[in-house]
Amino acid sequence: MKVGVLVMDEDLTAGCHVARAADAAGVHSLWTIDYYNRNSLVRAATFAAVTESAVVGTSVTPLFARSALATATAAADVQAVAGGRFALGVGSSTRRMNSDWYGFDLAHPAPRMSERIGLVRALLEHGGGPFSFEGRWESVSFAHLDHAVKTLPVPIYAAGVGEGMLDVAGRTADGFVGHPIASAAYLKTVARPRVIEAARRAARAEPPRFLTQVIASVDEDRAVARRRAAAQVGFYATVKGYDPLFPGDPRHAERDEIRRAFRAGDARAVAAAADGLVDERAVFGTVTEVAEQLRRYEPVADVVQLYSPHFGVSPDEIAANERSLIEVAACWNS
């Protein structure tokens, strides 16, 4: 298992400092997010330009926030800057994010995700001449789609929660990206078997790779580290669409309490209500304790992306945590 760091800083200049420090320390990979105030592809290109060795990837790029052509073109550009070190992680995002942020009606999310990944891959792999793609939802046509410079291959990893998305990852993508609050138990008993079986049925030439984000909070004061991790776990536990991450519906009462606290805008109450969830859905404590807790992901992940809590956490606290996460990742990969 390799360990990378997901760079959370909203300030891109600060993020570049983190990326350089992580690359110099020998961290395996650097990952970027997409949000209303962060562009994953711009950030990936920037981090690729200021680093030399680390894999640079998006975790994840919302697949319906941009056209398939815009995504493929950006991915090819980032890969050119990265010299082959770039990995494109994609996800559908939630229905509300698609409708409220992107103006996109996400009906039939799993089959649409599968078709869009196929189209992005076809655009990336097209060498020259006419191009035509006619799917159930997508229709793209060019009299000429020529590339003067050969596009380097771009691996595509698909994030998913429900069974349909797990099937998409196994059938269509090069691998799977687990959600920040996906427990090691969920990955072992639900995600991995489903993705592997989907890949087998699709007769994929290469076995899927397994990546997962893991909420990671470092502080010498273990109680502080735990509270920050719990707040982030709670933040994600409010989303109904992530209920499949709790198979059998365990901790239903806690999740209801978390949602009440979140609606009230009380971050500390969110953390308190989520305290019973944090042990299996995050890693926290000192650098040594976090590194030791990561061992539970070894049987289920090829790459772990350390995800710094940001809900109710100041930019300075995020930056300090990222410095510690670089230490965790560098020691793990050495």
Side-chain angles (χ1 to χ4, degrees):
M1 184 177 82
K2 299 295 185 181
V3 179
V5 174
L6 203 155
V7 183
M8 295 296 303
D9 309 75
E10 182 177 349
D11 182 337
L12 184 53
T13 300
C16 285
H17 293 315
V18 174
R20 287 193 190 98
D23 191 52
V27 169
H28 168 264
S29 48
L30 297 161
W31 302 88
T32 68
I33 67 168
D34 211 290
Y35 207 51
Y36 57 75
N37 56 359
R38 297 170 178 86
N39 185 305
S40 60
L41 290 159
V42 169
R43 286 166 180 265
T46 305
F47 294 166
V50 300
T51 59
E52 296 180 358
S53 302
V55 171
V56 175
T58 63
S59 190
V60 294
T61 297
L63 203 49
F64 302 106
R66 307 162 179 85
S67 71
L69 179 63
T71 299
T73 302
D77 282 345
V78 179
Q79 191 63 296
V81 174
R85 292 182 288 131
F86 175 62
L88 177 64
V90 297
S92 65
S93 296
T94 65
R95 287 182 185 275
R96 177 167 292 183
M97 288 170 67
N98 276 281
S99 62
D100 294 357
W101 296 9
Y102 311 135
F104 184 83
D105 179 16
L106 188 63
H108 311 288
R112 292 193 79 153
M113 178 99 160
S114 181
E115 185 171 292
R116 176 63 66 94
I117 290 173
L119 174 54
V120 169
R121 193 188 300 281
L123 287 163
L124 283 167
E125 294 177 351
H126 183 73
F131 178 90
S132 180
F133 184 99
E134 196 70 42
R136 181 178 174 187
W137 293 280
E138 310 271 2
S139 179
V140 177
S141 180
F142 293 89
H144 298 281
L145 181 60
D146 299 324
H147 299 282
V149 178
K150 181 176 174 59
T151 301
L152 295 172
V154 178
I156 300 175
Y157 302 120
V161 171
E163 291 181 345
M165 288 301 183
L166 299 179
D167 289 344
V168 170
R171 186 175 62 248
T172 311
D174 296 297
F176 167 76
V177 183
H179 191 273
I181 59 169
S183 67
Y186 163 85
L187 295 171
K188 179 180 179 180
T189 62
V190 178
R192 277 188 68 95
R194 186 95 188 189
V195 172
I196 289 170
E197 175 59 20
R200 186 195 65 78
R201 291 198 308 269
R204 300 299 301 274
E206 298 290 336
R209 298 196 75 211
F210 288 86
L211 295 70
T212 193
Q213 300 176 3
V214 176
I215 294 168
S217 177
V218 178
D219 200 284
E220 289 300 315
D221 185 334
R222 198 168 191 271
V224 170
R226 182 185 184 98
R227 184 174 68 248
R228 290 173 182 159
Q232 192 65 47
V233 171
F235 173 81
Y236 281 122
T238 63
V239 181
K240 292 283 189 182
Y242 299 150
D243 283 352
L245 295 170
F246 300 85
D249 203 30
R251 307 284 191 175
H252 182 77
E254 283 102 323
R255 285 185 286 139
D256 282 346
E257 180 59 31
I258 291 166
R259 286 165 178 151
R260 283 191 289 270
F262 184 78
R263 286 194 294 269
D266 190 338
R268 280 194 168 268
V270 168
D275 188 71
L277 306 178
V278 72
D279 288 294
E280 64 175 3
R281 297 178 187 273
V283 293
F284 55 89
T286 65
V287 166
T288 301
E289 288 171 330
V290 167
E292 183 60 32
Q293 291 166 35
L294 285 175
R295 295 193 181 282
R296 70 176 181 261
Y297 294 93
E298 282 189 285
V300 294
D302 298 304
V303 179
V304 160
Q305 305 163 0
L306 299 179
Y307 183 111
S308 186
H310 58 83
F311 178 65
V313 180
S314 72
D316 287 344
E317 289 170 327
I318 291 173
N321 193 53
E322 286 175 335
R323 288 193 293 271
S324 296
L325 296 183
I326 290 172
E327 186 178 350
V328 172
C331 290
W332 186 279
N333 296 319
S334 62

